Amino acid sequence: VTKEHVRELAEVGKVNSMRLPVGDFMYEPYGPFIGCTDGALEFVDDLLDWCHEYNVTILLDVHTMKDSQNGFDNSGESQGWEWTTEYNTYPQGMSTFMHWPIRTASWMGDFNRTSMSYPVINHANIAHARNVIQKMVDRYQSHPAILGLEPLNEPWEHTPINLLKQFYWDAYLIVKQTAPHWRFVMHDSFRFDVNIWGGFMSGCPDRALDTHIYQAWNWPGSKTTFYEGACSARNGIGAMEVAFGPVIVGEWSLATDNCAMWLNGFNDNNSGYPMMPCKYVECGSVPYMGDDQPGAPVDPSKPKLGPFGTGESGPSFGLCPVDRDWSKETDAETEAGDYWRYAPAKALEHRDATDEVMTLLARKKIHAFSGVGHGFYFWNFRTDLYEPQWNYMQAVERGWISNADNLSNDHINTACKREDSGEGYNCVSRRKGVARESLFNGVFWSKAQNTGLGWGELAPPLKLLNMTELEDEGDIQFNRYWKRERSKGATCDFGGAAMLTVAATTDDEFTDDWVEDVIIVKQGVSASSTLLISLLCIVVGGMFGFVSAMKRSAKFNVAVRKTKVLRSVRNSAVFTSSRSLLGSETMPLIN
């Protein structure tokens, strides 16, 4: 990060606040991190000064914690990890490892995978976290650029909630005793639930709840599905604002797939990801693959190189994976809602709809986040590869995100008008690529929710339905449940058995429909007439070529005349006369 970056974010990107991830080891060094971040605190001091100069506030975010609070690599340690190379005898020399299926987090203690709990709590680690917060508050309490502090980023969902809340209480008191004007922001621990957070710390000033809303880990779907999901986020935020108080979206992006390279770790990915083929671009010379890194820069003559994790992500033949393009659709494709299954990862140049889809998606997200919430932070402002879905400034340059001075404009204010009304939307059975078992489970669950009946009453008659009848029943039950519960955040998925369909629309400045490449015949000429004319042209052209060859090529002329059909007239004037269409006086006689 440079001063120029801050200036650009403030003046071009119209950013008024940044969330700054920092490591706990920067303030309380331990283990392998000792000496690795020397100079980091001085750099943070410079960044705060630059931000103050350009009227940008900073929310300090403790992104890592000793022994990891979630097992992610961005927590400082990918916990739950082992080499599996020894289990592979072929191909020889392949190095493999496992992380995601055995991920764990040990900040609060040793996690027991059998009981899914922490039988023994590591109070020393919790005390370490409190010490880090105290040092941060002591160092920055008087700096005018500081907005507040988030004491822990993304503690995983298995963190004991009572102990996490107690930690938040302790951290809040540390902050307020030394820097009473700071905001105090708590992450929801991937449990954005009013039953958990409603009423917590009620009456305490300057507190807020942070939730991270991404669509990159969603099941693949149509643009309609992502639009609806973006707009429906407002319902959950609004409910939490009522039950708890101020909510901020501390992280979001425009990604609709998991293709960004190493998004889930080096040469690794969540099991089963990415779910769709990715787009690939030239890796070039990116900072994290500079000449000083092992195996870098990327060798364009080699495929993916190990070690290999449980998922797929990495460079191949000099190409790096990035997010997929979106393609334009015909009205019929939009209404069918499944063209995304066949669309190429890199859209055809004349059919690329990425700018349209990303612009509309950004507007809908900002509408949802700003309508009832208290702010939002895009992750991230910069990327190594060209990834506008994850790069705020590139998204602004492409026009996807408005850099207007305020968010009060018609495009954003009305972005979710159609989604909010539900006009034209229906949640129906997915007709292609769904196993009967998945469809049956989805139909049974939704019908049980709609009717209040159980397995005994519903399962027997549903089992008698053929696939078409089951799909028709799904159309009814899926749509009924979704229409009723969508205001509460329900999505149209049902385990992959359902999808949203919507009538084509032209309610924005983009051209929504796509016309296939066809020959348009005008002036009332029918398709059959056009075919006959084409055939006639072929026949006439063939005849002209035959006549020309008979007059100019003696070899061709003689070969034709030697056929059995023409044996009796092979030397007639038809072929040897100067006035003949099928020959000339120069053609030889045949014995």
Side-chain angles (χ1 to χ4, degrees):
V1 182
T2 66
K3 184 176 181 178
E4 176 58 22
H5 289 143
V6 176
R7 184 204 65 77
E8 186 178 11
L9 284 166
E11 296 182 355
V12 180
K14 305 302 182 184
V15 168
N16 59 13
S17 187
M18 289 195 293
R19 183 171 174 261
L20 176 64
V22 296
D24 62 320
F25 44 76
M26 292 165 54
Y27 303 90
E28 190 89 351
Y30 57 89
F33 300 106
I34 295 177
C36 289
T37 57
D38 290 348
L41 295 183
E42 290 73 23
F43 188 85
V44 171
D45 292 339
D46 290 340
L47 177 62
L48 295 180
D49 292 339
W50 300 336
C51 287
H52 179 58
E53 180 178 343
Y54 289 102
N55 296 315
V56 176
T57 63
I58 288 288
L59 173 63
L60 295 168
D61 157 42
V62 184
H63 220 74
T64 73
M65 194 53 72
K66 190 175 184 179
D67 290 331
S68 181
Q69 73 275 23
N70 53 34
F72 301 157
D73 57 357
N74 58 36
S75 71
E77 181 180 355
S78 294
Q79 279 222 335
W81 195 96
E82 68 176 64
W83 286 106
T84 56
T85 303
E86 62 189 71
Y87 304 119
N88 300 299
T89 58
Y90 183 84
Q92 290 184 339
M94 176 178 284
S95 297
T96 59
F97 63 91
M98 181 185 295
H99 165 58
W100 286 104
I102 57 174
R103 177 171 65 101
T104 189
S106 301
W107 168 57
M108 274 204 169
D110 294 327
F111 183 66
N112 186 304
R113 291 195 185 93
T114 302
S115 64
M116 301 295 286
S117 65
Y118 287 87
V120 179
I121 302 302
N122 192 328
H123 293 284
N125 276 0
I126 299 174
H128 163 84
R130 291 195 298 264
N131 292 338
V132 168
I133 295 165
Q134 185 66 65
K135 289 188 176 184
M136 293 178 68
V137 177
D138 290 342
R139 185 179 183 93
Y140 305 120
Q141 59 178 299
S142 61
H143 200 290
I146 299 295
L147 173 68
L149 178 135
E150 186 166 359
L152 189 64
N153 175 68
E154 296 185 340
W156 76 333
E157 60 273 25
H158 301 301
T159 306
I161 196 65
N162 60 321
L163 295 178
L164 180 61
K165 287 183 175 181
Q166 183 59 56
F167 169 70
Y168 283 158
W169 266 116
D170 294 341
Y172 178 81
L173 294 175
I174 292 172
V175 169
K176 286 303 178 182
Q177 285 171 0
T178 308
H181 57 288
W182 281 16
R183 305 291 194 274
F184 183 80
V185 180
M186 301 165 284
H187 186 263
D188 63 9
S189 185
F190 301 105
R191 290 172 281 191
F192 194 61
D193 186 340
V194 295
N195 296 311
I196 293 175
W197 299 106
F200 179 59
M201 295 178 67
S202 179
C204 295
D206 303 320
R207 87 209 200 292
L209 191 66
D210 173 19
T211 190
H212 297 170
I213 302 179
Y214 287 111
Q215 293 183 306
W217 285 267
N218 288 17
W219 281 79
S222 66
K223 62 182 180 181
T224 300
T225 300
F226 285 100
Y227 291 164
E228 167 64 23
C231 291
S232 67
R234 184 177 59 177
N235 299 322
I237 295 173
M240 189 63 76
E241 286 269 346
V242 173
F244 169 85
V247 174
I248 68 167
V249 180
E251 293 182 19
W252 67 285
S253 76
L254 289 172
T256 53
D257 57 56
N258 221 247
C259 284
M261 191 168 78
W262 298 341
L263 177 64
N264 294 305
F266 173 75
N267 275 15
D268 200 9
N269 213 323
N270 294 88
S271 300
Y273 285 90
M275 294 185 176
M276 297 284 286
C278 296
K279 175 182 172 181
Y280 279 79
V281 299
E282 294 286 344
C283 294
S285 180
V286 295
Y288 56 68
M289 302 170 88
D291 295 339
D292 59 332
Q293 299 294 326
V298 174
D299 188 339
S301 68
K302 290 190 169 52
K304 291 185 177 72
L305 301 175
F308 298 98
T310 52
E312 181 181 347
S313 185
S316 178
F317 296 108
L319 300 175
C320 288
V322 296
D323 285 49
R324 292 169 54 85
D325 289 338
W326 285 89
S327 295
K328 292 181 180 179
E329 301 175 354
T330 63
D331 288 351
E333 288 168 343
T334 296
E335 293 178 7
D338 65 349
Y339 178 68
W340 56 271
R341 298 176 59 205
Y342 314 101
K346 179 178 174 60
L348 300 175
E349 184 176 353
H350 61 296
R351 197 170 178 176
D352 191 346
T354 307
D355 284 340
E356 170 191 341
V357 175
M358 290 293 101
T359 301
L360 294 177
L361 186 63
R363 292 173 182 172
K364 295 174 192 297
K365 285 176 179 282
I366 293 173
H367 172 87
F369 301 160
S370 62
V372 292
H374 278 70
F376 47 91
Y377 293 88
F378 191 92
W379 185 279
N380 203 320
F381 85 95
R382 187 182 179 205
T383 53
D384 293 287
L385 292 167
Y386 186 77
E387 280 271 39
Q389 289 89 343
W390 293 97
N391 185 318
Y392 177 80
M393 289 310 301
Q394 289 176 356
V396 170
E397 291 170 4
R398 288 283 289 268
W400 298 354
I401 297 178
S402 171
N403 61 350
D405 288 324
N406 61 71
L407 302 178
S408 181
N409 64 64
D410 288 341
H411 282 316
I412 291 176
N413 291 340
T414 62
C416 290
K417 181 178 179 180
R418 192 173 194 193
E419 287 77 10
D420 290 345
S421 69
E423 178 186 353
Y425 281 90
N426 286 296
C427 182
V428 301
S429 297
R430 197 184 295 278
R431 251 63 179 183
K432 299 176 183 177
V434 178
R436 178 182 173 86
E437 181 180 5
S438 297
L439 180 61
F440 177 87
N441 290 338
V443 174
F444 167 74
W445 186 90
S446 58
K447 190 166 186 176
Q449 299 300 311
N450 291 334
T451 63
L453 299 177
W455 178 266
E457 297 92 342
L458 298 179
L462 287 177
K463 288 181 178 180
L464 296 176
L465 300 180
N466 62 37
M467 195 64 173
T468 300
E469 292 169 336
L470 194 59
E471 289 170 343
D472 292 342
E473 183 67 20
D475 290 345
I476 298 171
Q477 302 304 330
F478 293 152
N479 204 45
R480 181 179 300 170
Y481 177 84
W482 178 74
K483 293 276 189 181
R484 184 180 69 249
E485 301 293 330
R486 60 189 295 273
S487 63
K488 302 175 185 177
T491 59
C492 177
D493 183 74
F494 299 95
M499 67 179 189
L500 275 179
T501 62
V502 62
T505 180
T506 55
D507 59 354
D508 53 60
E509 75 273 28
F510 297 101
T511 301
D512 297 290
D513 58 330
W514 162 255
V515 179
E516 298 285 0
D517 294 327
V518 296
I519 299 175
I520 300 176
V521 183
K522 297 183 178 181
Q523 297 181 344
V525 181
S526 67
S528 58
S529 298
T530 303
L531 178 61
L532 290 174
I533 292 172
S534 299
L535 291 174
L536 180 61
C537 289
I538 293 173
V539 172
V540 172
M543 291 178 62
F544 178 81
F546 178 78
V547 170
S548 178
M550 289 293 287
K551 289 184 69 66
R552 297 185 180 187
S553 173
K555 184 177 181 180
F556 181 80
N557 184 292
V558 169
V560 171
R561 288 157 57 198
K562 281 185 176 181
T563 60
K564 291 182 179 180
V565 175
L566 300 176
R567 178 178 299 174
S568 61
V569 293
R570 62 181 52 169
N571 289 322
S572 70
V574 174
F575 303 111
T576 59
S577 166
S578 60
R579 295 181 179 180
S580 174
L581 289 175
L582 299 178
S584 69
E585 70 276 10
T586 62
M587 294 301 164
L589 298 177
I590 302 174
N591 295 325

